[in-house]
Amino acid sequence: MSNPLYTHLLAPHRSSDAPFLTLPAGETVSYAQFHQRCGQFAQVLIDMGAKPGDRIAAQVHKSADVLALYGGCVMAGLVFLPLNPAYTVAELDYFVANSGARVLVCDPANAAGLADMAARNKAMLVTMSTDRTGTLCDLAQGCTPLATVEARKPDDLAAILYTSGTTGRPKGAMLSQRNLLSNAQALTGLWQFTKDDHLIHALPVFHTHGLFVATNITLLTGGSMAFMPRFDLDAVIAALPHATTMMGVPTFYTRLLADARLTKSATSNMRLFISGSAPLLADTHRQFTDRTGHRILERYGMTETNMSTSNPYDGERRPGTVGLPLPDVEAKVCDATGQELPRGEVGTLEVRGDNVFQGYWQMPDKTAAELRADGFFITGDLAVMAQDGYVTIVGRGKDLIIAGGLNIYPKEVEEVIDAHPDVVESAVVGVPHPDLGEAAVAVVVPKGGAQLGPDMLQPSLDAALARFKHPRKVIMIDALPRNTMGKVQKAALRDTYKDCFAT
Ligand code: MCA
Ligand code: AMP
């Protein structure tokens, strides 16, 4: 049997009583218990008729069982498809239909509302709650774990994660066993993770950061995680003295810095704080060092590429930069044709390596537009590479807002607002936000004579979009600024409203 992810992440500690997860109530999940649960989910899914390569979509709240479901998919050769619990039924419908998911796992509270959609898409609907109940959990409870793990080749798919684009519908990034394993191995070595590490895990588990970077590294080393349902400042501060590492988005760090309990002594047991998913301000980096003595290690990645660059463990962690390409990852700053630019010039970052995904699920045209024939992936991030190889992300070539580490595609929000009968047009822009880094502002032109208050857009937004995508502010104006070509000047709007969240 060959199944690289199983062999490296799950098999080595399968009989170990060492803790894998510590949960908020003080309960622990040992490696042996986790392995058993993975095997039970694998067997239940197979009994339901799932075949290797089938997609298993899960829109559930964070729990130990979600990770076991991921492990179960690995064991049964299934493709795990995690989805943000904040998504509306309309958003979910697209993901289930596009992926052709065989099974949709949802929270019991949502089952009735999703039944029609699941049936229409021919997906079997089962439930999982955070307290280990629900139809899937109940079936797993009494089930004998899968005895023979499904064979998988390195290029077989392990997961699909949807990521939006600046145009069109979200695209399913196909991640292979090789993509996930190679990245976990590279990061483990680079960041010197061992079985003695105890990682504060306060991230969601429906994205690369919390699901793959944090979890796969821990599984690979046999270390443990303080597994929290969400980022709760009090819980994270209480966990610091017992932990050795934390991974977070910049908002975690700004919230910690705003609390006087973040001190040198509170963090004296910690060896490493890692930040990513959005730009960490150099100022935040410096303030954190001044307060705690720790230099936050910033790294850079994407759903399509896993992690591509990182500041070093030993050596200079340069504030404002995302460090150097990972071992065996090539990174270059290019012009629009893919021609590498001289060091110091701004261009688009392209990356190549085992970390780079297999393409977009059933979207060959979109794959071809972003993944070059020679294997380089066009990230859409604007970057500069210094003479010594350090990469700085200076902007985005794509129209994207990253709020608290979550991506908001303005186009998707504008389409919903523009469909309102009293709206002529709108522009959604990201502006600085003290907590989230960036936040979305909608600038809306109402139809002449229409009495359109900002709240009147709410029903349309509620029906279509997860709440984290809703604009934090709606501003009505008479006309959008346009250049001579008639293009909306988003830069001007960003400038006009740059202080609207200033404290
Ligand atoms: C929650 N809300 C947000 C966000 N999160 N709005 C905008 N941006 C957000 N990120 C909204 C909710 O809809 C809700 O709105 C209100 O804020 C309060 O929600 P709550 O859940 O209480 O918020 P929170 O606990 O304060 O969460 C903020 C957070 C969280 C801790 C920053 O969003 C978070 O954990 N972010 C991390 C995301 C992440 O893991 N990103 C990695 C993906 P209302 O009141 O209207 O209902 S990127 C990735 O994986 C790449 C590969 C990489 O490089 O890592
Ligand atoms: P996602 O599509 O959710 O995978 O988000 C990937 C995007 O997050 C990248 O294309 C970058 O724009 C951004 N990103 C991730 N890490 C960093 C970082 N350390 N600094 C700046 N931007 C980042």
Side-chain angles (χ1 to χ4, degrees):
M1 186 280 304
S2 142
N3 179 324
L5 274 178
Y6 176 75
T7 304
H8 290 272
L9 302 188
L10 296 172
H13 319 289
R14 57 184 299 170
S15 310
S16 165
D17 290 331
F20 168 44
L21 305 176
T22 60
L23 305 177
E27 201 192 336
T28 61
V29 178
S30 73
Y31 271 93
Q33 288 168 329
F34 182 68
H35 188 277
Q36 156 144 338
R37 195 72 169 161
C38 295
Q40 288 176 319
F41 281 129
Q43 189 60 57
V44 168
L45 292 168
I46 290 171
D47 291 346
M48 288 169 66
K51 301 270 182 303
D54 281 349
R55 278 75 58 212
I56 308 298
Q59 192 203 31
V60 287
H61 293 290
K62 184 176 176 182
S63 73
D65 266 353
V66 184
L67 296 189
L69 182 63
Y70 161 52
C73 288
V74 169
M75 289 174 80
L78 300 165
V79 180
F80 187 52
L81 198 171
L83 294 159
N84 189 338
Y87 287 143
T88 61
V89 181
E91 289 168 309
L92 216 56
D93 192 354
Y94 171 79
F95 298 124
V96 174
N98 184 265
S99 67
R102 175 173 281 268
V103 176
L104 170 61
V105 189
C106 74
D107 190 276
N110 298 336
L114 293 174
D116 285 350
M117 183 276 283
R120 188 163 15 87
N121 288 306
K122 301 188 177 54
M124 279 178 275
L125 189 66
V126 286
T127 63
M128 171 187 278
S129 76
T130 52
D131 63 0
R132 292 166 67 95
T133 61
T135 54
L136 186 68
C137 299
D138 294 345
L139 287 169
Q141 202 58 38
C143 174
T144 304
L146 180 71
T148 309
V149 171
E150 191 64 36
R152 295 276 87 188
K153 293 195 283 299
D155 286 334
D156 284 337
L157 295 192
I160 294 181
L161 266 62
Y162 275 83
T163 164
S164 291
T166 43
T167 55
R169 308 301 305 269
K171 304 162 288 186
M174 299 190 288
L175 297 159
S176 68
Q177 287 232 342
R178 187 200 308 275
N179 296 150
L180 301 184
L181 184 58
S182 67
N183 212 235
Q185 288 171 326
L187 297 174
T188 297
L190 201 66
W191 297 340
Q192 302 189 12
F193 270 80
T194 71
K195 65 172 180 31
D196 297 326
D197 275 309
H198 187 54
L199 172 86
I200 296 179
H201 191 305
L203 291 158
V205 286
F206 46 80
H207 280 307
T208 296
H209 198 162
L211 180 61
F212 300 135
V213 183
T215 305
N216 287 353
I217 287 179
T218 303
L219 287 169
L220 195 61
T221 55
S224 59
M225 302 197 277
F227 200 63
M228 304 177 175
R230 52 186 289 277
F231 181 85
D232 175 85
L233 188 60
D234 293 336
V236 169
I237 286 181
L240 284 171
H242 316 288
T244 61
T245 51
M246 186 177 95
M247 293 182 191
V249 296
T251 299
F252 288 17
Y253 293 104
T254 47
R255 288 188 186 178
L256 280 167
L257 274 168
D259 193 297
R261 290 172 294 175
L262 181 81
T263 58
K264 269 199 177 66
S265 70
T267 57
S268 62
N269 197 50
M270 293 288 289
R271 68 167 185 90
L272 184 60
F273 289 93
I274 299 171
S275 177
S277 308
L280 181 78
L281 295 178
D283 198 37
T284 308
H285 190 288
R286 291 192 191 99
Q287 283 180 36
F288 203 85
T289 306
D290 289 348
R291 182 89 73 82
T292 66
H294 291 280
R295 298 171 300 142
I296 299 173
L297 185 154
E298 184 171 9
R299 57 51 172 190
Y300 158 85
M302 281 184 79
T303 301
E304 289 92 331
T305 65
N306 299 283
M307 299 304 102
S308 290
T309 75
S310 171
N311 272 280
Y313 188 79
D314 297 314
E316 187 189 3
R317 297 182 198 162
R318 197 174 294 169
T321 80
V322 294
L324 304 157
L326 299 191
D328 300 324
V329 174
E330 296 168 83
K332 56 182 185 177
V333 173
C334 299
D335 67 13
T337 68
Q339 191 65 36
E340 187 167 2
L341 294 168
R343 298 270 164 118
E345 284 191 23
V346 175
T348 302
L349 189 65
E350 299 197 8
V351 298
R352 177 166 73 179
D354 282 347
N355 57 320
V356 173
F357 75 144
Q358 310 296 293
Y360 296 112
W361 175 255
Q362 294 183 341
M363 291 184 183
D365 293 349
K366 291 201 188 301
T367 302
E370 296 182 40
L371 197 54
R372 295 190 190 278
D374 63 5
F376 271 97
F377 175 69
I378 306 165
T379 64
D381 287 308
L382 302 178
V384 178
M385 193 180 277
Q387 292 301 337
D388 57 7
Y390 277 72
V391 176
T392 303
I393 306 292
V394 295
R396 295 177 201 129
K398 47 200 173 191
D399 193 10
L400 161 69
I401 298 165
I402 305 185
L406 293 179
N407 291 2
I408 302 169
Y409 285 86
K411 180 96 181 119
E412 193 184 11
V413 186
E414 288 160 6
E415 276 173 3
V416 173
I417 298 175
D418 292 353
H420 192 283
D422 291 331
V423 168
V424 178
E425 60 175 351
S426 64
V428 172
V429 292
V431 299
H433 187 279
D435 180 41
L436 299 170
E438 251 184 319
V441 172
V443 187
V444 180
V445 182
K447 280 197 177 140
Q451 295 298 309
L452 186 63
D455 290 347
M456 291 163 75
L457 296 171
Q458 205 53 49
S460 313
L461 292 166
D462 285 342
L465 301 173
R467 288 188 72 84
F468 73 87
K469 299 179 189 173
H470 295 196
R472 288 279 169 127
K473 209 162 246 170
V474 177
I475 294 161
M476 301 292 169
I477 59 174
D478 292 339
L480 295 175
R482 290 181 186 277
N483 65 15
T484 48
M485 309 289 286
K487 196 169 176 312
V488 175
Q489 290 179 297
K490 287 205 164 178
L493 289 173
R494 276 191 284 271
D495 190 52
T496 305
Y497 299 110
K498 65 179 185 303
D499 294 326
C500 74
F501 295 111
T503 45

